[in-house]
Amino acid sequence: MGSLTDANDTVSPSMGSLALDIATYDGKQYDIVKEGRATILNPRPSSSPTNTERERATTTPPQTVFYNPIQQFNRDLSVLAIRIYGDDLASIRRARQEKRLQDSKAKSTAGKKRKREEDCCSDQLARPADDQPLETVNGTSHHYTASETSYSHSNQGESLPLSGKAVSHLLQTAETNQSPPGTGLPDPNSKIETASGAGISQPSPKSASIPQVASPFSADGNHETKPISGNFRVLDALSATGLRALRYAKEIPWVTSVTANDLSASATDSIKLNVQHNRLSGTIHTVTGNALEHMYRIGAAAYGAHEAMPDGTRGRYEVIDLDPYGTAAPFLDAAVQALADNGLLCVTCTDSGVFASVGYLEKTYAQYGGLPSKGPQSHEAGLRLILHAIATSAARYGMAIEPLLSLSIDFYARVFVRVRRSAAEAKFLAGKTMLVYNCDHGCGAWNTQFLANNKAEKNKKGDEFYKYIPAQAPTASSNCEHCGFKTHLCGPMWGGHLHNPFFIQRILDELPSLSKETYGTLPRLEGMLSIALEESLLDSAQEEMIRNSEKALTELEPIGRLDPSRPDKYPFFIIPSVLAKVLHCVAPSDAALRGALINLGYRVRRSHTKPGTIRTDTPWTVIWEVMREWVRQKAPVKDGAIKPGTAGWAIMRKDRSRASITELKEQLQSIMEKADDLETAKVQIEAALLKSGRAREESTEEAATTKGSLDRTEGDRKTLKVVFDEKVGKDMGSKKLVRYQLNPKPNWGPMTRAKGGS
């Protein structure tokens, strides 16, 4: 492809490796950008001599191929998520293979007992142990002999794990740093001379037909190696510079091949250059074309077509990464069809002005199939709209999704979804799809409405089955019950959980062993993942499963699962300052409000989407009662601060200290209107006054003996004892984490679209 020379080479004695700043290739200069274990050649922009230093520092030069360094967190997270997923998939494949072998052995043993006198049995028993078949797929035997050094297999269907002897041989090969004879792979000890004369070791390219031997986290060489089983193919559908593909190939040991696709010819030329620069030509295959066409062709294999992948294998991708400039919605239908069973779909959407804003709600509905939400929870609602679009695309083909991790990050959303081919689980979708009645112009309260109810029942034999019952509607009136303002409709959107806590915990467990030089965003990764881990408010049955996580894991599912039929009953969050703004009072601290809710028996969490958030299972009736108590106890409102007709005025009118007076006033007015004569009215008024006095005394006595309870009804509101205890609300002894990212640099964001040629 041409010659590569180094225009500005510097050698770092401490690292003992070549550190490049600028490279020249075919007369063009490139900035060498290192991220993770990969390096890319980014074309140097031509700067105008008239620009001042300040203008150059605050403006983003036009790019021929898109690259945004702000999204390194996205790429670091993606590498770790795919590695953990690959570890899980390899364990599942090994367990399935062992089970198949055990079943085959049991059948063989039974056959020998019945036909011990037949010659075929004796011939089979006499066969050398070094030439035993591993498995038979589509009529083709997969075997490995001691005299052979190649792994023979059929490209039809899923590749299978290696036997113990095959693994031992590959381990020995890895230790001696020699390529197996007959594989056509270059010698890993060979050197490639650069223009500066420095020798760089030539790594052995990975082959789709030879499973790799490595640990899921062996970048630092501190982990025991594990055998990898089967193909692990990744599609970077919108690759741009190919940086994701490069990092996946270099940092994920499970990967057997990566397809880097882009519609732009200039982008694929850049990818080929970067692949050559990183010496990964045997692993990364570059495709210039429409991502939709490519994925539909791969997915059509299920309907009789036999479209081979760029690496020569057949089947679907184990991982598909969609990272477009803007929305990923147009690619979702093709992606779920091109994904293998239990495959991982990684999706980025950078159009937060659409999925997290009501400014273009008609476009939001057209792309994601639901209406956005207005208010502080808009970004979480945006995540749920994206998941809804993926879930509905998958359900059309009898597939169900399991969100492993869903994050709102900076200016974009990133979700990792496992897609299962299960028509039974796809039936749960209606029961996990919800509408939201949002009081966005009033107090900010909301009510959720699920479209159906997944009800588990048992038949006469005791076997469990599900009934799918349509929901009764609506769950809320057109006006907010708390402030009287009109509510607006949001959704339909995903009503299930956003994360799988087992998956997140697996990533967190691996973070201490990772290199900070390879993963430059480790502090933020730990902080955001820690919040996501504790974010979900599970019901009692699922929390018990989390506590007994070892019992929840099986050999076919090393990463535990939440119940796929159960929705998330407590979506979204509250923010103390937003609540205080409605009542025109001083805002309570996060710890004070958290402490008050905990004392009442409710659960509180953080949300990863915004700082200062409280995610809770407290009903809005109790939340506003707590805020009224805050005004009464700690932050009295000035006279005239709350104007009649506002949401705060309506909420404060329901203060329990005035509730009995208001109720008595209404009773007296009713008596005067209905009484026939003065004497009857007098008797009824005296009875009402006596009853009101007794009720106040009983309420006072009951409140004096109440120390906090799980009262969750409007009738119990008057007896709640609210204590704003900051000690209870603080995270005592919690580790200091980078939970929320500060702006990394001036004028940061999604950057402008690349202007490369076609």
Side-chain angles (χ1 to χ4, degrees):
M1 290 183 61
S3 59
L4 177 68
T5 61
D6 306 323
N8 185 15
D9 300 349
T10 59
V11 178
S12 174
S14 60
M15 296 179 61
S17 61
L18 194 64
L20 308 177
D21 295 325
I22 302 174
T24 302
Y25 185 83
D26 285 346
K28 297 181 181 179
Q29 286 191 334
Y30 298 86
D31 290 324
I32 298 184
V33 180
K34 179 174 175 58
E35 184 179 297
R37 298 177 63 188
T39 56
I40 62 170
L41 303 177
N42 203 25
R44 303 205 80 196
S46 57
S47 57
S48 173
T50 58
N51 291 347
T52 64
E53 290 294 331
R54 182 176 181 180
E55 289 175 339
R56 284 194 292 267
T58 57
T59 58
T60 302
Q63 300 185 84
T64 56
V65 179
F66 185 79
Y67 167 70
N68 190 353
I70 299 302
Q71 289 202 20
Q72 181 180 355
F73 176 81
N74 184 331
R75 291 183 284 268
D76 286 352
L77 178 63
S78 300
V79 170
L80 297 179
I82 296 175
R83 289 174 98 168
I84 293 297
Y85 162 77
D87 190 16
D88 180 57
L89 185 62
S91 300
I92 293 175
R93 286 178 173 177
R94 283 193 293 267
R96 286 176 176 173
Q97 173 65 2
E98 290 174 3
K99 188 176 185 301
R100 283 196 292 262
L101 291 176
Q102 290 175 359
D103 294 343
S104 177
K105 185 177 180 180
K107 292 180 181 179
S108 177
T109 303
K112 291 172 186 175
K113 290 181 179 179
R114 291 192 304 267
K115 302 179 181 180
R116 190 176 299 275
E117 70 281 0
E118 295 185 9
D119 295 338
C120 61
C121 290
S122 58
D123 186 49
Q124 182 180 6
L125 291 172
R127 184 168 48 186
D130 290 341
D131 195 21
Q132 294 293 333
L134 282 177
E135 184 64 278
T136 300
V137 177
N138 295 334
T140 302
S141 294
H142 300 244
H143 63 276
Y144 185 89
T145 63
S147 61
E148 295 174 347
T149 56
S150 62
Y151 174 58
S152 175
H153 71 98
S154 168
N155 281 334
Q156 301 292 335
E158 179 185 281
S159 296
L160 299 174
L162 297 172
S163 67
K165 290 185 175 294
V167 171
S168 300
H169 177 78
L170 285 179
L171 286 172
Q172 182 179 3
T173 301
E175 291 173 358
T176 57
N177 289 326
Q178 295 178 358
S179 299
T183 60
L185 300 180
D187 186 355
N189 294 323
S190 63
K191 301 282 186 177
I192 292 181
E193 297 294 331
T194 63
S196 60
I200 301 177
S201 296
Q202 164 77 3
S204 175
K206 301 174 186 176
S207 172
S209 61
I210 302 180
Q212 303 301 306
V213 180
S215 164
F217 288 88
S218 58
D220 304 323
N222 297 325
H223 299 270
E224 183 180 356
T225 58
K226 299 180 182 179
I228 308 303
S229 57
N231 287 328
F232 194 89
R233 296 156 295 196
V234 181
L235 170 63
D236 186 9
L238 306 155
S239 198
T241 61
L243 178 56
R244 286 178 184 271
L246 294 169
R247 293 196 61 180
Y248 295 162
K250 282 208 166 191
E251 300 173 33
I252 303 175
W254 309 134
V255 169
T256 56
S257 70
V258 181
T259 301
N261 177 85
D262 203 285
L263 184 62
S264 170
S266 62
T268 52
D269 289 342
S270 176
I271 296 171
K272 293 176 183 177
L273 179 63
N274 289 324
V275 169
Q276 181 187 11
H277 180 71
N278 287 268
R279 294 164 174 79
L280 291 171
S281 300
T283 304
I284 300 178
H285 307 273
T286 306
V287 176
T288 305
N290 191 312
L292 290 173
E293 179 184 4
H294 178 78
M295 289 187 288
Y296 276 128
R297 285 181 178 273
I298 297 299
Y303 304 100
H306 297 283
E307 180 75 15
M309 289 191 176
D311 64 352
T313 63
R314 299 183 187 276
R316 295 183 175 93
Y317 289 102
E318 280 68 33
V319 178
I320 294 180
D321 194 329
L322 301 176
D323 185 25
Y325 189 95
T327 179
F331 305 97
L332 298 179
D333 183 82
V336 296
Q337 295 187 63
L339 202 60
D341 186 20
N342 286 308
L344 181 67
L345 180 61
C346 314
V347 178
T348 300
C349 292
T350 62
D351 59 331
S352 57
V354 175
F355 64 74
S357 169
V358 296
Y360 305 95
L361 62 86
E362 72 286 354
K363 189 173 183 180
T364 309
Y365 185 82
Q367 291 183 345
Y368 299 104
L371 297 175
S373 175
K374 183 178 181 181
Q377 71 275 12
S378 61
H379 284 80
E380 180 180 331
L383 282 174
R384 295 182 178 277
L385 286 172
I386 296 170
L387 292 173
H388 171 71
I390 300 173
T392 52
S393 296
R396 296 186 186 100
Y397 306 101
M399 297 182 240
I401 72 166
E402 178 195 2
L404 300 178
L405 182 62
S406 309
L407 298 176
S408 174
I409 309 167
D410 299 333
F411 54 87
Y412 60 91
R414 181 68 166 171
V415 299
F416 300 89
V417 177
R418 190 198 293 267
V419 180
R420 302 177 187 271
R421 296 184 181 276
S422 172
E425 289 189 19
K427 295 178 182 179
F428 294 138
L429 180 58
K432 294 192 294 185
T433 302
M434 67 180 183
L435 298 171
V436 181
Y437 302 99
N438 185 26
C439 183
D440 47 10
H441 290 295
C443 64
W446 63 80
N447 281 296
T448 59
Q449 168 73 68
F450 287 91
L451 301 185
N453 180 26
N454 302 321
K455 186 177 181 180
E457 294 188 356
K458 292 186 177 180
N459 57 21
K460 295 181 180 179
K461 296 181 179 180
D463 299 328
E464 187 178 76
F465 69 98
Y466 283 88
K467 282 188 175 181
Y468 308 99
I469 305 171
Q472 294 183 355
T475 57
S477 64
S478 58
N479 291 84
C480 176
E481 62 176 308
H482 308 289
C483 67
F485 276 60
K486 292 181 179 180
T487 58
H488 292 93
L489 195 64
C490 311
M493 63 181 65
W494 173 257
H497 292 286
L498 296 177
H499 318 293
N500 181 329
F502 297 101
F503 182 79
I504 299 174
Q505 187 61 58
R506 286 283 301 275
I507 301 178
L508 286 171
D509 291 342
E510 297 294 343
L511 293 185
S513 64
L514 300 180
S515 169
K516 293 183 179 180
E517 294 182 359
T518 304
Y519 301 94
T521 61
L522 272 181
R524 189 185 181 192
L525 281 170
E526 183 181 9
M528 181 165 279
L529 290 175
S530 297
I531 298 178
L533 178 63
E534 67 177 24
E535 186 173 17
S536 297
L537 288 165
L538 308 176
D539 55 34
S540 57
Q542 296 192 94
E543 284 197 336
E544 182 66 22
M545 187 180 69
I546 296 293
R547 285 192 291 268
N548 301 323
S549 58
E550 294 183 359
K551 298 179 182 179
L553 305 183
T554 65
E555 61 178 5
L556 295 182
E557 287 186 326
I559 296 179
R561 294 186 64 195
L562 299 177
D563 189 339
S565 68
R566 294 179 181 269
D568 185 357
K569 296 181 179 179
Y570 311 108
F572 309 132
F573 51 81
I574 59 175
I575 300 178
S577 59
V578 175
L579 300 177
K581 185 178 180 181
V582 175
L583 301 182
H584 296 272
C585 67
V586 177
S589 65
D590 295 351
L593 187 54
R594 287 163 62 95
L597 298 179
I598 292 173
N599 281 328
L600 292 174
Y602 297 99
R603 295 176 293 170
V604 294
R605 303 284 191 271
R606 285 189 179 91
S607 172
H608 77 276
T609 57
K610 286 181 182 292
T613 54
I614 298 177
R615 197 180 183 93
T616 180
D617 56 352
T618 312
W620 274 102
T621 301
V622 177
I623 290 174
W624 284 124
E625 182 57 38
V626 170
M627 287 303 299
R628 282 190 289 264
E629 278 297 295
W630 169 258
V631 172
R632 188 180 68 83
Q633 296 181 25
K634 304 290 185 179
V637 179
K638 295 180 180 180
D639 293 337
I642 305 178
K643 297 181 180 179
T646 62
W649 182 79
I651 290 172
M652 291 304 297
R653 278 180 59 107
K654 296 182 180 181
D655 183 21
R656 58 181 173 180
S657 63
R658 299 177 53 186
S660 58
I661 299 176
T662 303
E663 184 179 355
L664 178 60
K665 182 179 178 181
E666 292 175 353
Q667 288 181 2
L668 295 178
Q669 186 176 358
S670 177
I671 290 172
M672 295 300 296
E673 291 176 354
K674 296 179 180 179
D676 296 331
D677 54 74
L678 186 60
E679 200 62 34
T680 303
K682 181 179 178 181
V683 174
Q684 292 179 349
I685 290 173
E686 288 178 352
L689 291 173
L690 181 61
K691 182 180 178 180
S692 177
R694 289 177 180 175
R696 283 199 299 273
E697 290 176 1
E698 293 174 359
S699 177
T700 303
E701 291 175 0
E702 187 175 356
T705 58
T706 302
K707 296 182 179 179
S709 63
L710 288 172
D711 300 328
R712 300 182 182 231
T713 63
E714 179 69 22
D716 296 324
R717 175 174 63 87
K718 300 176 183 179
T719 63
L720 291 177
K721 185 178 181 181
V722 182
V723 179
F724 296 94
D725 192 341
E726 292 192 358
K727 291 183 179 180
V728 175
K730 284 184 178 178
D731 293 330
M732 302 301 294
S734 62
K735 182 180 178 181
K736 291 185 177 180
L737 300 171
V738 183
R739 293 185 172 90
Y740 302 100
Q741 176 72 11
L742 299 176
N743 292 351
K745 67 177 185 178
N747 303 314
W748 69 285
M751 301 178 62
T752 55
R753 189 186 296 269
K755 302 295 184 182
S758 59

